[in-house]
């Protein structure tokens, strides 16, 4: 029964990062030189990120390094460096590069930060967080998308990211607290379990709102006393964050 699997969670830890030939900054530059997508990726960074106000040098470098074309179907690879979301199956999308850069900048990730992502999707945002030097845990609700993310991340050299199929509303309590939590599907309010799993001084980034036409990108910070302050960073449009118990039943 799929419901049982979801409720029990399904950890998929992959430990191949150390063997990865590409993806991590400072890797074999001859591999990058042969990459036919290098030029379009550089144009994306200049025209869609820098020109639109992304200033965080570490984030720009990370987005220069992560091969976004390896996170979409082969038939969509030629569009991988356009600044738009693309379908990844099951009605879900890989977020547009500008939004990934914006959320990554707002997260203020530092090397060694423990980061939880909710909504693994294609795995692209998780790879950008790993490029920033974070240790990453990511939860995806849909098993088929979780398997896709594992395969994409492995193929792009980010097999060290910790993946789980389950309901992100519950977070990943065994690994808490996290320095950063990046939510990439929209809940109607910030899930309390995620705030609880945020370390003192931690930051949570989330699109919040039921209607994609009026969602806001919020940053919640938690101070040493446990007090939470929220700031608003403008309009965004994400797929909804679906509670695990609202999934339609799947027949065997
Ligand atoms: N971060 C992704 C894009 C996410 S799209 C990327 O870089 O490609 C949003 C994802 O959130 C979808 O894959 C969707 O299935 C997932 N999702 C929706 N509700 C969820 C929930 N309650 N818990 C975990 N994942 C959820």
């Amino acid at each position: 029964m799929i419901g049982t699997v979801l409720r029990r969670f399904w950890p998929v830890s992959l430990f191949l990062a150390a063997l990865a030939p590409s993806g991590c900054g400072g890797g074999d530059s001859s591999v990058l030189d042969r990459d036919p997508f290098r030029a379009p990726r550089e144009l994306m960074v200049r025209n869609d990120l820098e020109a639109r106000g992304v200033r965080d040098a570490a984030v720009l470098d990370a987005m220069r390094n992560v091969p976004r074309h390896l996170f979409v179907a082969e038939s969509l690879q030629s569009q991988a460096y356009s600044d738009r979301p693309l379908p990844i199956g099951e009605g879900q999308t890989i977020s547009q590069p500008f939004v990934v850069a914006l959320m990554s900048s707002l997260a203020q990730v530092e090397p060694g930060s423990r980061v939880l992502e909710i909504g693994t999707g294609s795995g692209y945002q998780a790879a950008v967080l790993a490029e920033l030097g974070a240790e990453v845990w990511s939860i995806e609700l849909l098993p088929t998308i979780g398997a896709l993310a594992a395969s994409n991340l492995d193929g792009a050299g980010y097999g060290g990211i910790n993946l789980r199929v389950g309901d992100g509303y519950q977070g990943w309590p065994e690994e808490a607290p996290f320095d950063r939590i990046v939510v990439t599907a929209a809940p109607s309010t910030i899930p309390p379990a995620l705030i609880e799993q945020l370390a003192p001084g931690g930051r949570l980034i989330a699109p919040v709102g039921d209607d994609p036409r009026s969602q806001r990108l919020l940053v919640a910070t938690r101070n040493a006393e446990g007090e939470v302050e929220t700031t608003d960073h403008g309009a965004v449009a994400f797929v909804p964050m679906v509670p695990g118990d609202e999934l339609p039943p799947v027949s065997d």
Side-chain angles (χ1 to χ4, degrees), residues 71 88-90 92-95 100 117-126 138-142 145 166-169 184-186 238-244:
F71 293 84
I88 56 170
E90 305 255 9
Q92 308 303 325
T93 54
I94 177 173
S95 304
V100 173
E117 182 197 24
I118 306 298
T120 319
S122 68
Y124 179 66
Q125 170 78 75
S138 184
I139 304 175
E140 168 58 47
L141 183 63
L142 303 175
I145 299 288
D167 183 1
Y169 280 93
T184 66
F238 276 76
V239 297
M241 186 166 160
V242 181

Side-chain angles (χ1 to χ4, degrees), residues 227-240:
E227 294 158 347
V228 176
E229 219 171 84
T230 304
T231 51
D232 184 323
H233 298 267
V236 280
F238 276 76
V239 297

Side-chain angles (χ1 to χ4, degrees), residues 23-218:
C24 301
D28 178 354
S29 63
S30 64
V31 172
L32 279 182
D33 288 342
R34 287 196 302 272
D35 178 358
F37 291 96
R38 189 180 177 164
R41 191 159 56 241
E42 182 60 37
L43 279 180
M44 171 194 86
V45 169
R46 273 195 231 153
N47 299 342
D48 298 321
L49 308 184
E50 277 181 306
R52 290 182 61 196
V54 179
R55 294 276 173 268
D56 186 321
V59 169
L60 293 170
D61 269 353
M63 302 215 29
R64 252 181 212 112
N65 287 336
V66 179
R68 190 171 189 262
H69 61 282
L70 297 184
F71 293 84
V72 299
E74 222 172 313
S75 58
L76 293 174
Q77 285 193 341
S78 61
Q79 300 172 53
Y81 297 101
S82 314
D83 191 32
R84 54 176 136 136
L86 293 169
I88 56 170
E90 305 255 9
Q92 308 303 325
T93 54
I94 177 173
S95 304
Q96 83 181 86
F98 178 75
V99 170
V100 173
L102 176 62
M103 291 182 82
S104 303
S105 304
L106 288 171
Q108 298 176 7
V109 172
E110 286 155 22
S113 294
R114 293 170 58 85
V115 181
L116 174 66
E117 182 197 24
I118 306 298
T120 319
S122 68
Y124 179 66
Q125 170 78 75
V128 171
L129 294 167
E131 269 296 328
L132 288 166
E135 195 178 351
V136 182
W137 288 259
S138 184
I139 304 175
E140 168 58 47
L141 183 63
L142 303 175
T144 51
I145 299 288
L148 173 77
S151 152
N152 288 346
L153 285 166
D154 218 4
Y158 299 93
I161 290 172
N162 306 285
L163 302 177
R164 165 179 272 187
V165 170
D167 183 1
Y169 280 93
Q170 300 172 43
W172 196 317
E174 308 90 308
E175 293 292 346
F178 297 98
D179 303 310
R180 307 287 184 260
I181 299 180
V182 177
V183 183
T184 66
S188 37
T189 55
I190 297 175
L194 299 185
I195 292 288
E196 275 164 32
Q197 290 173 31
L198 203 53
R203 295 167 70 77
L204 175 148
I205 323 301
V208 174
D210 289 325
D211 183 348
R213 288 166 303 182
S214 58
Q215 284 167 10
R216 310 294 301 177
L217 186 59
L218 302 185

